[in-house]
Amino acid sequence: MKQTLLFVPTLRDNPKEAEVNSHRILLRGGYVRQLAAGIYTYLPLAYRIIKKIENIIREELDKIGCSELLMPAMQPRDIWEESGRWQDYGKELVRLKDRHDRDFCLGPTHEEVITTVIRDYLTTYKRFPLALYQIQTKFRDEFRPRYGLMRGREFIMKDLYTFHTEDGDLDHWYNEVRKAYQRIFNRCGLNYRIVSADSGNIGGKSSEEFVGLCDIGEDTIVYSDESDFACNKELCDLPEGAPSPDGKGKILHARGIEVGHIFKLGTKYSLPMKAIFVDYEQKQKPIIMGCYGIGISRVLMAILEQHADENKVVWPQEVTPFQIHILPLDKEGTPAFELAQELYEKLNKDYEVLFDDRNERPGVKFNDADLIGINHRIIVGKKAAEGIFEYERLADGFKQDISDLNELHELLKALRMFGDFKTGRQ
Ligand code: ATP
Ligand code: MG
């Protein structure tokens, strides 16, 4: 992609409305644009990252037997009356009326809709289990939208629902989804912990949160430096340095933000909404359900918090907007630009390459490139006349002069073997 054709409206100065680093970078780097409080346009750079996160989720969920569908955002009041949530949900629910004065809401989550979708089909034990998910815009009129995409009023969520005839099967699926979530967040390059949680508004009998560690997080978690033990500070208030309750390691505290949530819902929705099946003894029973969310736009924000300093981002390999950034340090018609263009045309066949073909000074190009955050960078400058260019890796500052393309291919091939460039082209 030529950078002149990509819409990346970077800013020179720090935007006043941004209170935290990730939000500043989002605005300064031309990733998003705010329309109203908590409501954003995802510009091309952010949307490429969002699509990569979505595709990682799709790959991992499809692998365990889930299938994707898409439900409506606009939902009629009657199904919310059936579940009892029209009253319970409160002011976060965005309510509206159609032209005939009938009540609707914009979905903050989809338990009601999915239950109406499956209840006429899942009437016999023979059709179980089933796992359905969607990736969709959700609406919640949050009291205090803030930190950019962290707490939006309109945001992108993946929501998965599973259906079972007995608790044992729900437990099995819950564990499979839990493992898939671990793979998803690892691939996203997130440092996270799994903490058990109370189940809040959605209800049910068992739930865990995936919490991305970052200083601007709203929760404090208590975790072991050596094992998987982690817990919300509200639930277990161990001091830092205390031995971990599982006997492994010492307790540390960290702030974190919930990026994913998995629930065993049980029959919370199937009972009031009469989603009933007939078991192998011809007995009528309510369907047992699980539900599992990931806040995709919030994940982007959490990754940014963990992988950026004040002026520079290094996106993790699997979610990077592009894989290689080529920066010629001179304008069109010079040896530097021509060599850069030649490298772009060749590398673009195998990698996602961003080519900074703008007529800008090197300082501007470097500043913008640091905000765009592509780990693998090729700089074509003064030595271009001798056919020499520089490869630089942002993550560790490694640099190397390169004089022919084969040498670069060898280098990139070696990186691929270490797990870089996994997603390939979009
Ligand atoms: P929170 O406690 O942060 O309000 P929640 O418990 O209301 O989250 P869920 O109903 O479990 O969230 O929604 C599933 C996922 O959607 C959450 O794990 C989170 O990642 C994401 N999410 C929830 N609310 C928002 C929001 N306002 N903006 C962006 N992402 C959100
Ligand atoms: Mg909430």
Side-chain angles (χ1 to χ4, degrees):
M1 177 97 213
K2 289 183 175 170
Q3 210 162 320
T4 45
L5 292 175
L6 190 71
F7 179 49
V8 190
T10 50
L11 308 173
R12 293 283 139 81
D13 300 313
N14 273 325
K16 277 191 249 31
E17 67 264 40
E19 301 160 77
V20 297
N21 194 49
S22 50
H23 192 191
R24 271 191 294 274
I25 298 261
L26 270 193
L27 294 171
R28 266 182 61 207
Y31 288 88
V32 301
R33 221 188 150 98
Q34 184 176 315
L35 181 65
I39 303 179
Y40 288 85
T41 297
Y42 306 100
L43 300 176
L45 215 47
Y47 200 48
R48 288 181 74 95
I49 298 167
I50 296 269
K51 283 187 283 185
K52 289 200 174 178
I53 300 170
E54 290 179 354
N55 285 338
I56 290 172
I57 294 173
R58 289 191 172 101
E59 270 179 40
E60 295 299 341
L61 292 185
D62 292 355
K63 215 187 278 177
I64 61 168
C66 306
S67 30
E68 186 174 3
L69 46 59
L70 183 60
M71 289 179 268
M74 189 159 157
Q75 310 178 9
R77 173 176 177 166
D78 57 345
I79 62 172
W80 285 74
E81 290 287 358
E82 268 189 68
S83 71
R85 286 210 297 179
W86 187 260
Q87 270 71 34
D88 292 352
Y89 213 94
K91 288 194 169 168
E92 254 184 47
L93 191 63
V94 178
R95 298 162 208 250
L96 63 155
K97 284 187 190 290
D98 72 3
R99 62 167 72 198
H100 305 293
D101 217 30
R102 283 184 292 241
D103 286 312
F104 283 81
C105 67
L106 297 180
T109 167
H110 279 66
E111 284 79 9
E112 284 81 1
V113 179
I114 195 77
T115 304
T116 64
V117 167
I118 55 84
R119 69 180 162 192
D120 300 329
Y121 171 80
L122 288 180
T123 50
T124 159
Y125 70 96
K126 290 174 193 156
R127 290 185 169 159
F128 287 81
L130 197 58
L132 302 169
Y133 72 96
Q134 66 173 344
I135 291 175
Q136 195 209 31
T137 300
K138 295 284 190 273
F139 299 85
R140 293 184 187 181
D141 195 359
E142 298 276 357
F143 181 67
R144 201 145 98 86
R146 60 175 188 164
Y147 297 163
L149 307 180
M150 209 56 119
R151 185 166 294 286
R153 293 196 292 170
E154 182 178 320
F155 59 96
I156 303 174
M157 195 205 283
K158 182 284 301 170
D159 43 329
L160 162 70
Y161 306 89
T162 62
F163 305 94
H164 316 277
T165 57
E166 52 183 41
D167 285 333
D169 193 47
L170 170 61
D171 294 345
H172 169 75
W173 274 83
Y174 181 92
N175 283 328
E176 288 302 305
V177 174
R178 193 178 190 273
K179 283 187 268 177
Y181 270 38
Q182 289 173 300
R183 292 192 295 270
I184 289 165
F185 291 121
N186 288 338
R187 289 179 63 182
C188 286
L190 257 193
N191 182 11
Y192 67 93
R193 293 290 183 282
I194 305 175
V195 308
S196 61
D198 63 350
S199 18
N201 220 350
I202 298 183
K205 49 183 176 173
S206 169
S207 91
E208 286 168 297
E209 287 176 1
F210 287 70
V211 176
L213 303 187
C214 55
D215 292 339
I216 63 165
E218 294 170 342
D219 307 323
T220 300
I221 68 160
V222 161
Y223 67 100
S224 160
D225 61 354
E226 277 177 26
S227 73
D228 288 339
F229 173 81
C231 193
N232 212 307
K233 190 158 181 286
E234 286 162 20
L235 297 179
C236 86
D237 195 6
L238 295 165
E240 270 194 301
S244 175
D246 64 356
K248 292 178 212 149
K250 285 200 191 64
I251 289 298
L252 294 176
H253 289 181
R255 307 219 31 106
I257 184 84
E258 178 193 322
V259 287
H261 205 164
I262 55 180
F263 292 91
K264 292 181 189 173
L265 280 176
T267 57
K268 179 172 158 67
Y269 292 89
S270 53
L271 271 180
M273 296 188 72
K274 302 192 180 58
I276 307 291
F277 72 97
V278 178
D279 76 1
Y280 59 95
E281 290 171 321
Q282 299 300 313
K283 271 204 221 115
Q284 293 207 326
K285 287 183 174 164
I287 293 172
I288 294 167
M289 287 170 60
C291 78
Y292 319 81
I294 294 180
I296 292 171
S297 37
R298 185 182 282 181
V299 167
L300 182 150
M301 220 39 197
I303 297 172
L304 199 47
E305 268 297 312
Q306 292 180 1
H307 294 268
D309 62 24
E310 223 175 292
N311 298 307
K312 191 168 101 184
V313 192
V314 186
W315 289 104
Q317 215 34 246
E318 284 211 53
V319 299
T320 185
F322 293 88
Q323 297 172 320
I324 298 173
H325 203 172
I326 301 181
L327 310 183
L329 301 186
D330 215 339
K331 51 180 181 296
E332 219 172 328
T334 61
F337 194 95
E338 258 149 44
L339 179 56
Q341 174 135 14
E342 186 191 328
L343 291 171
Y344 168 59
E345 277 155 19
K346 290 191 173 140
L347 291 173
N348 202 35
K349 297 192 181 100
D350 299 313
Y351 302 95
E352 299 165 311
V353 184
L354 183 62
F355 172 40
D356 193 348
D357 59 336
R358 298 173 306 160
N359 209 343
E360 291 283 4
R361 285 178 292 112
V364 173
K365 289 192 175 185
F366 280 119
N367 284 345
D368 287 352
D370 283 352
L371 291 170
I372 294 172
I374 302 164
N375 189 23
H376 304 285
R377 189 180 283 179
I378 289 167
I379 301 151
V380 195
K382 288 213 173 65
K383 295 187 193 158
E386 306 152 49
I388 297 172
F389 54 91
E390 187 182 64
Y391 164 83
E392 183 184 353
R393 193 163 55 215
L394 257 56
D396 58 2
F398 171 82
K399 286 182 187 174
Q400 187 176 319
D401 269 353
I402 293 181
S403 57
D404 81 288
L405 203 60
N406 282 338
E407 209 181 318
L408 181 65
H409 273 304
E410 287 304 312
L411 187 76
L412 295 174
K413 215 157 66 187
L415 293 173
R416 198 190 280 271
M417 284 179 8
F418 287 113
D420 280 3
F421 308 121
K422 223 174 180 173
T423 43
R425 304 179 69 87
Q426 278 187 322

